[in-house]
Amino acid sequence: MTDMRRTILWVVFSMSLVLLWDAWNKHTGRPSFFSPPPATSSASAPAGGAPASAALPAPAAATGSGPAGASAISTQATAPTASQKFTVRTDVLELTIDTQGGTITRAELLKYEDQQDRAKNVVLLDQSAERVYLAQSGLINRVDNGGAFPNHFTVMTPLPGERTLPEGREALTVTLESPEVNGLKYRKTYTLKRGSYAIDVRHEVVNVGSEPREPQLYLQLVRDGNPPPGESSFYYTFTGPALYTDAKKFHKIDFKDIAKGSAETAPPADNGWVAMVQHYFVSAWLNTQPQLREFRTAKVADNLYSIAMVQPLDVVAPGATKAVDTTLYIGPQEEKKLEALAPGLDLVKDYGWFTILSKPLFWLLDKLYGVLGNWGWAIVALVVLLKIAFYWLNASAYRSMAKMKAIAPRVQELRERYKDKPQQMQQEMMRIYREEKVNPMGGCLPILIQIPVFIALYWVLLSSVEMRNAPWIGWITDLSVKDPYYILPLLMTASTLLQTWLNPTPPDPVQAKMMWIMPLVFSVMFFFFPAGLVLYWLTNNILSIAQQWFINRQLGVK
């Protein structure tokens, strides 16, 4: 039994060192042991903006493509005429719209500071030398060889109107209209509302020809495969496409699977949405009306990927107009607001396997914030409530550990007396455990039961955009970034060592050393973790130490 525990501890210790070394390699720009190096920016545009051929998708090679006869989204490489860009601004969003296709080529979130440069705001969508991330839509022909329709390559004309949301107005409308292409005109109307990141987008298809037409509407997001700027190497958050249907539920898609042509999408459905997800923020095309749609992904160019939702429209007769209302969301992963927009959209705030625990924990954290008005103190209060909830379970564990510490001298004496007789030593140790009514595993099992709850809370704090730019006290002005002076990590290390001292010392010298080394190894990671996560663990440690010290005193254990 002792040899087995020693082996397990050494395995855990060795793996910890390997993971730490791998994280350090990624942090310093060297290749990871477990994954290929990050994709380069070869798909990013040269200075002056991305060329049309690099920044635009070609879902003819898409996975999950539609039924036979469905045309691919246009792959035209250049615009037939010159386009221009103009800016639309509300109180929370500043969008750059390209008249080529009415594509949104830049989206600045005016209420969120860039954590790398506080003088700037977060730019989510972009088309620059560093990044490509676009929101597109257009029409394709359902008839093979039936000719092109207005798409995201077609240069459109913006209609006159306001470009900035005036004071006292609640909404701003911007409309673009295409020329006639193969008998169809395409009119796109963006409606931006005060205080909202959800943009209403109306797509109107007008048949100005003499023959009926069978168009399909596609809603598409295009992004390079690079991680967001400032992404940490010490914890992983997903970046990439995602989709949702009632049947498939929430489904993330890796860029590397799209590149290999093995990406799994979802079968056609009359519901669902597509999105591009990254830490804290998301863009998504939504249509909550029960209309048939299919889902496609494609590798557009080197390190450039797309996800699209394609909706067949009814046949448009000559002189008729067909309109489809959709929503384009570009903004933060605010759970309650996303939940209200579309079924399952709140799942882009990814809690992993512990969603069933994380969602009620975030609900409670949000309620505490409503009372306290500070996310840091809300974290402290939540940990206090969890420690109260688990008080008797922890008390059982600490009593067991205190008894183990009390009999540690007798166990050590047995090890020295029977060091050449391991079988007899084990028998004598079991006798002592029975006499003192001590369960060697009694200190572990109650703690193991709580681990899922604390992992779930970890993901709540890591995933919640509310932590961005949220101050706590003094030097902690942003709970989503590391402590600038490393005060919390140092306190965390000290508290971990104190807790180790309060625990019973294993009789095996190797295990005893491991007990002191492993907390130090894991404490190193906290120097790179967001301050909110360190605050959570530090609060938990302090409360655990207080309870353990109190129980030790009750039992007379020093």
Side-chain angles (χ1 to χ4, degrees), residues 377-394:
W377 290 119
I379 292 170
V380 172
L382 180 57
V383 177
V384 170
L385 290 178
L386 289 175
K387 296 302 284 187
I388 292 172
F390 289 117
Y391 179 84
W392 297 111
L393 201 59
N394 285 324

Side-chain angles (χ1 to χ4, degrees), residues 248-516:
K248 183 73 174 178
K249 302 304 181 185
F250 180 63
H251 176 55
K252 297 182 291 186
I253 304 170
D254 287 330
F255 287 129
K256 62 182 180 181
D257 291 333
I258 298 176
K260 292 186 295 185
S262 60
E264 180 186 356
T265 55
D270 66 355
N271 60 83
W273 46 259
V274 294
M276 281 285 183
V277 181
Q278 68 183 59
H279 196 197
Y280 295 135
F281 301 102
V282 64
S283 63
W285 276 111
L286 315 170
N287 185 352
T288 56
Q289 299 303 311
Q291 297 173 335
L292 182 66
R293 65 205 70 182
E294 58 177 291
F295 305 91
R296 302 181 180 184
T297 60
K299 181 179 180 182
V300 180
D302 187 21
N303 191 36
L304 194 64
Y305 308 91
S306 71
I307 185 166
M309 184 164 63
V310 182
Q311 299 179 204
L313 306 182
D314 295 333
V315 174
V316 185
T321 299
K322 173 67 177 177
V324 178
D325 292 315
T326 64
T327 300
L328 174 61
Y329 183 86
I330 305 172
Q333 295 174 8
E334 295 179 312
E335 192 170 323
K336 290 185 291 186
K337 293 181 180 179
L338 294 177
E339 192 173 32
L341 285 173
L345 188 58
D346 56 307
L347 297 175
V348 298
K349 184 180 177 183
D350 189 11
Y351 295 133
W353 293 100
F354 295 96
T355 298
I356 193 171
L357 295 174
S358 294
K359 289 184 76 68
L361 285 173
F362 176 76
W363 176 86
L364 181 54
L365 182 67
D366 186 56
K367 294 298 181 185
L368 291 170
Y369 170 74
V371 173
L372 300 173
N374 181 288
W375 285 107
W377 290 119
I379 292 170
V380 172
L382 180 57
V383 177
V384 170
L385 290 178
L386 289 175
K387 296 302 284 187
I388 292 172
F390 289 117
Y391 179 84
W392 297 111
L393 201 59
N394 285 324
S396 173
Y398 295 145
R399 286 193 187 95
S400 180
M401 287 190 282
K403 291 177 181 179
M404 286 290 294
K405 191 170 185 178
I407 65 172
R410 295 173 61 187
V411 172
Q412 183 61 33
E413 189 270 332
L414 279 177
R415 291 182 64 85
E416 292 175 0
R417 186 192 311 172
Y418 297 108
K419 60 183 177 181
D420 297 326
K421 301 176 181 178
Q423 187 173 356
Q424 189 172 355
M425 178 182 67
Q426 288 292 336
Q427 291 174 350
E428 290 297 317
M429 287 173 61
M430 295 305 295
R431 179 183 60 79
I432 293 175
Y433 292 153
R434 286 195 299 270
E435 289 175 355
E436 300 296 332
K437 298 180 180 179
V438 173
N439 180 359
M441 299 300 293
C444 300
L445 291 177
I447 295 173
L448 288 173
I449 292 171
Q450 300 173 59
I451 285 177
V453 174
F454 286 100
I455 293 176
L457 182 53
Y458 163 89
W459 282 108
V460 166
L461 299 178
L462 184 62
S463 304
S464 296
V465 70
E466 289 82 0
M467 300 300 121
R468 278 185 108 261
N469 304 323
W472 178 41
I473 56 172
W475 74 104
I476 301 296
T477 58
D478 189 340
L479 290 167
S480 69
V481 299
K482 64 183 181 182
D483 184 336
Y485 303 111
Y486 301 106
I487 295 173
L488 289 179
L490 288 171
L491 292 174
M492 175 70 195
T493 302
S495 68
T496 302
L497 293 175
L498 178 57
Q499 196 170 23
T500 302
W501 178 75
L502 287 171
N503 291 337
T505 302
D508 187 329
V510 175
Q511 293 181 23
K513 290 179 182 178
M514 289 284 289
M515 274 190 62
W516 288 97

Side-chain angles (χ1 to χ4, degrees), residues 3 24 47 57 100 160 353 377-378 504 511 521 523 558:
D3 290 340
W24 176 253
Q100 182 177 334
W353 293 100
W377 290 119
Q511 293 181 23
V521 170
S523 292
K558 296 182 180 179

